[in-house]
Amino acid sequence: MLKILYLWGMAAKLELTPLTQWGFFSNLLPRVIAGPCSAESEEQVMETAAGLASAGIRVFRAGIWKPRTHPGCFEGVGSTGLSWLQKVQRELGMKVCTEVASAKHVEECLRHGIDMVWVGARTTGNPFLVQEIADALQGCDLPVLVKNPVSPDLDLWVGALERLNQAGLRKLGVVHRGFSTLQETHYRNDPGWRIAIELRTLFPDLPFFADPSHMGGERKYLQELSQRALDLGLEGLFIESHCHPEKAMSDANQQLTPEALGRMLHEQLIVRESDTLAADYRENIEQLRARIDLIDENLLEVLRSRMEISREIGRYKKDHNIAILQLARWDDLLGDMIDKGSVEGMDEKFLRALFSVIHEESVRVQNEILDSKE
Ligand code: PEP
Ligand code: MN
């Protein structure tokens, strides 16, 4: 709770240039940044980029320096690959971007006229490196996309954005690529959409891309994850594509050919509009929203009186020198609410999360009483 409050306080501090002023994308949705996980050879880069251009994609990605988990894996072709990206710019008129993880990478990209860079998940979680990158970019107007850190830590993600913003970078965006988790998941990285929604709520103007490739880890998940991103109204997709995916030197299982990507984008995904002028929609949605507003006001009132009773209980506990946390009572209450809610068809996870927050606040309120002179 406190963490969220801290972030709300920070919300006003990002100064952003709207995506429409980056000169990268048309207004057509979804906006797509695509290309191979790694640039492997000039031929592979040019064949993939040409295929993507034919599928209507205007922004090309390719990793030049690859952060690999184990040593000895293919770690990217290094600076040589930058001239291939320049060829993509020259011959296909596409914008190009790559990952940077150090001041040296930034300097090389600037020297080669790369249009945009991204900070990878393993780097976002390291404030030293983010600061080094921000310092190296100081004074440039280069667009920078910041991937979420590997761990589900919203503060680290926001902190990276703040460092770049303080270095004068205004064309900032984020890429949500999922999180490492201890929980069982069939995806490579847990989508953790809740954190994405929190960030979206904090910074509604921050351009937001989803990376279904690193989330899913396998081609078969790309469509459902991309659709989820579009359903949430995100700005676009950051997705891996390779002219011969089965031969890719990194992330072979999650890459699509440019043709398959084009089919997915143009024939399979459903783009959601953020609004419509259709009269029946507007009328119905307004009525429903008015009912929601009323219910929310009631909810507030119910919560306020619940907290008032918690305070009173706190006073009794204080007078009788009783510990605030009563685990048996809490277990009973939660169990009871989950049973009742489940009968009403409500989701158990939601009920657990909801009552945990309410209980946390009750404990805080009672602690306040304990510390006060009342
Ligand atoms: C990538 O986009 O190729 C990449 C390495 O991604 P991430 O930083 O999300 O793992
Ligand atoms: Mn990859």
Side-chain angles (χ1 to χ4, degrees):
M1 198 69 180
L2 274 178
K3 189 171 199 171
I4 294 175
L5 288 180
Y6 164 75
L7 288 170
W8 274 111
M10 303 303 294
K13 292 203 178 152
L14 288 186
E15 279 179 40
L16 299 168
T17 303
L19 194 59
T20 46
Q21 289 172 30
W22 292 19
F24 271 49
F25 301 98
S26 70
N27 281 335
L28 285 182
L29 291 172
R31 298 179 183 97
V32 180
I33 300 165
C37 178
S38 304
E40 298 163 5
S41 66
E42 185 173 328
E43 295 67 35
Q44 170 249 8
V45 164
M46 293 313 294
E47 188 180 339
T48 306
L52 292 169
S54 306
I57 292 160
R58 311 301 316 148
V59 188
F60 184 74
R61 61 144 284 158
I64 298 288
W65 301 281
K66 297 301 299 176
R68 303 308 298 277
T69 303
H70 298 285
C73 295
F74 173 62
E75 290 185 328
V77 292
S79 306
T80 334
L82 293 170
S83 60
W84 308 338
L85 295 187
Q86 288 178 305
K87 195 165 174 194
V88 171
Q89 287 172 319
R90 248 187 350 262
E91 296 191 3
L92 298 165
M94 296 171 91
K95 300 278 186 192
V96 297
C97 63
T98 196
E99 173 173 348
V100 291
S102 69
K104 179 184 160 286
H105 294 166
V106 170
E107 282 149 19
E108 292 278 295
C109 284
L110 293 176
R111 209 178 16 256
H112 287 81
I114 299 305
D115 301 294
M116 173 166 75
V117 293
W118 80 82
V119 177
R122 291 158 196 77
T123 308
T124 305
N126 184 332
F128 286 136
L129 288 180
V130 175
Q131 193 58 53
E132 178 181 321
I133 292 168
D135 292 343
L137 283 166
Q138 184 124 30
C140 308
D141 195 25
L142 207 69
V144 184
L145 298 178
V146 181
K147 288 198 163 199
N148 61 268
V150 172
S151 57
D153 187 328
L154 187 54
D155 260 338
L156 269 177
W157 201 359
V158 174
L161 290 161
E162 288 170 332
R163 286 178 196 280
L164 292 161
N165 207 218
Q166 281 172 14
L169 295 146
R170 300 282 177 266
K171 292 179 183 154
L172 293 178
V174 287
V175 178
H176 179 39
R177 48 78 82 195
F179 303 98
S180 280
T181 173
L182 284 173
Q183 279 157 18
E184 278 294 307
T185 161
H186 50 285
Y187 296 132
R188 178 176 173 189
N189 287 294
D190 178 15
W193 293 110
R194 190 181 58 78
I195 296 189
I197 294 168
E198 253 173 58
L199 185 67
R200 185 90 171 141
T201 313
L202 286 170
F203 304 106
D205 301 328
L206 183 62
F208 208 123
F209 292 82
D211 174 346
S213 313
H214 291 90
M215 254 180 213
E218 287 183 55
R219 270 181 284 286
K220 64 179 175 192
Y221 298 129
L222 296 177
Q223 190 185 336
E224 67 190 48
L225 289 166
S226 302
Q227 188 60 58
R228 192 72 203 275
L230 298 189
D231 293 347
L232 287 171
L234 303 189
E235 268 73 24
L237 300 173
F238 186 92
I239 192 163
E240 288 186 341
S241 173
H242 189 295
C243 50
H244 301 288
E246 66 296 344
K247 293 194 193 141
M249 295 169 84
S250 57
D251 289 350
N253 296 338
Q254 66 192 34
Q255 305 201 59
L256 283 176
T257 60
E259 296 70 29
L261 177 57
R263 273 196 303 279
M264 182 178 94
L265 292 173
H266 305 303
E267 294 165 29
Q268 291 157 357
L269 293 180
I270 304 164
V271 176
R272 314 278 178 204
E273 301 297 330
S274 64
D275 208 353
T276 169
L277 294 174
D280 61 331
Y281 168 84
R282 295 199 80 93
E283 202 173 302
N284 286 325
I285 208 90
E286 269 157 31
Q287 279 180 21
L288 290 169
R289 283 184 178 152
R291 280 166 60 190
I292 290 261
D293 288 349
L294 207 63
I295 291 175
D296 284 350
E297 278 172 30
N298 288 337
L299 266 179
L300 266 185
E301 181 48 31
V302 167
L303 286 172
R304 197 200 56 73
S305 17
R306 193 189 191 284
M307 289 310 152
E308 196 37 61
I309 297 177
S310 285
R311 259 189 211 96
E312 211 169 316
I313 291 180
R315 281 184 211 107
Y316 275 107
K317 285 184 182 162
K318 185 176 182 180
D319 289 350
H320 293 83
N321 204 25
I322 304 288
I324 289 175
L325 203 54
Q326 301 284 329
L327 283 180
R329 158 79 182 141
W330 164 233
D331 277 350
D332 282 353
L333 183 155
L334 184 63
D336 197 28
M337 287 301 112
I338 288 177
D339 286 350
K340 286 188 174 134
S342 307
V343 172
E344 303 290 330
M346 294 178 82
D347 182 62
E348 177 179 336
K349 255 199 193 149
F350 167 69
L351 292 168
R352 203 172 277 283
L354 175 69
F355 280 97
S356 299
V357 174
I358 293 177
H359 181 244
E360 208 178 294
E361 180 60 3
S362 278
V363 170
R364 192 193 66 77
V365 157
Q366 294 187 24
N367 259 318
E368 230 172 48
I369 298 284
L370 202 62
D371 294 342
S372 74
K373 302 221 159 39
E374 269 187 64

